[in-house]
Amino acid sequence: KAGVTQTPRYLIKTRGQQVTLSCSPISGHRSVSWYQQTPGQGLQFLFEYFSETQRNKGNFPGRFSGRQFSNSRSEMNVSTLELGDSALYLCASNPDNYNEQFFGPGTRLTVL
Amino acid sequence: GENVEQHPSTLSVQEGDSAVIKCTYSDSASNYFPWYKQELGKRPQLIIDIRSNVGEKKDQRIAVTLNKTAKHFSLHITETQPEDSAVYFCAASGAGGSNYKLTFGKGTLLTVNP
């Protein structure tokens, strides 16, 4: 099976802009989670989607949002970008009823 | 919410030695504890995990132990090799019914010197 894929791999944006990141889970996985990784804060949970519904949410401001499509692909959006949003954004998928999460390669977002 | 503490933040060992990384968690309802290895510029990769109904699990040179009473779990790597050099993260999930929300430790940079 193909692994988790994420596009784009790299993005450069300026403050105030918005950005959309995409994640395709492993075939058959319906749960997709998003994490932000920074040197200072480490890996932090953003949200998790299952069957097009947000099932869990982390402690991030409303500028961070996501959605999931009927084919389980997921997108996350960050509006009004701030310098502190520069990070590696990772998505992970897991099979139904199993905790194991498998990560994609991430999208490196740089906000200037 | 859940809080996971990880120690040490850096660990340097000689090839062939053992390495131990320790984590503590705060929420006794957590029931799943994975360990991830992340090499520079790569994605985190699941290397071993343990559930709360098990005290120890081994996979070749890697083992994980869990002490539910003390709320801590540890990663043990024996006969370390240079390719074991990476950042290792522990995590916990299951608190509050959030089975798919991983709370991570801050990571341990392991360096194995040849």
Side-chain angles (χ1 to χ4, degrees), chain A residues 1 7 35 42 45 50 59 65 68 71 73-74 85 104 110-111:
Chain A
K1 280 185 180 177
T7 57
Y35 295 84
F45 174 82
F50 178 82
N59 298 322
S65 63
Q68 187 179 34
N71 62 357
R73 188 178 70 86
S74 178
D85 297 333
T110 302
V111 182

Side-chain angles (χ1 to χ4, degrees), chain A residues 94-112:
Chain A
N94 59 275
D96 291 2
N97 303 317
Y98 286 88
N99 299 90
E100 294 90 339
Q101 293 192 16
F102 301 94
F103 283 86
T107 294
R108 172 76 61 186
L109 172 65
T110 302
V111 182
L112 301 175

Side-chain angles (χ1 to χ4, degrees), chain A residues 65-96:
Chain A
S65 63
R67 60 177 175 168
Q68 187 179 34
F69 302 94
S70 58
N71 62 357
S72 295
R73 188 178 70 86
S74 178
E75 288 182 347
M76 68 163 279
N77 184 277
V78 188
S79 62
T80 320
L81 284 166
E82 300 177 1
L83 295 179
D85 297 333
S86 294
L88 180 66
Y89 289 88
L90 293 156
C91 81
S93 73
N94 59 275
D96 291 2

Side-chain angles (χ1 to χ4, degrees), chain B residues 1-68:
Chain B
E2 175 67 281
N3 183 50
V4 176
E5 301 279 343
Q6 182 172 346
H7 298 280
S9 55
T10 61
L11 179 59
S12 182
V13 300
Q14 289 300 121
E15 184 176 358
D17 287 351
S18 295
V20 180
I21 302 171
K22 298 183 179 182
C23 289
T24 59
Y25 59 100
S26 61
D27 196 320
S28 56
S30 288
N31 56 21
Y32 175 67
F33 308 93
W35 286 88
Y36 285 86
K37 174 184 179 182
Q38 188 175 30
E39 296 175 47
L40 190 63
K42 301 265 182 84
R43 72 188 77 188
Q45 290 205 298
L46 178 68
I47 57 171
I48 196 167
D49 57 13
I50 193 166
R51 287 175 171 76
S52 57
N53 58 349
V54 175
E56 183 175 359
K57 184 176 178 181
K58 272 188 180 180
D59 183 3
Q60 298 182 4
R61 297 186 297 109
I62 294 172
V64 58
T65 58
L66 171 65
N67 183 326
K68 284 193 298 183

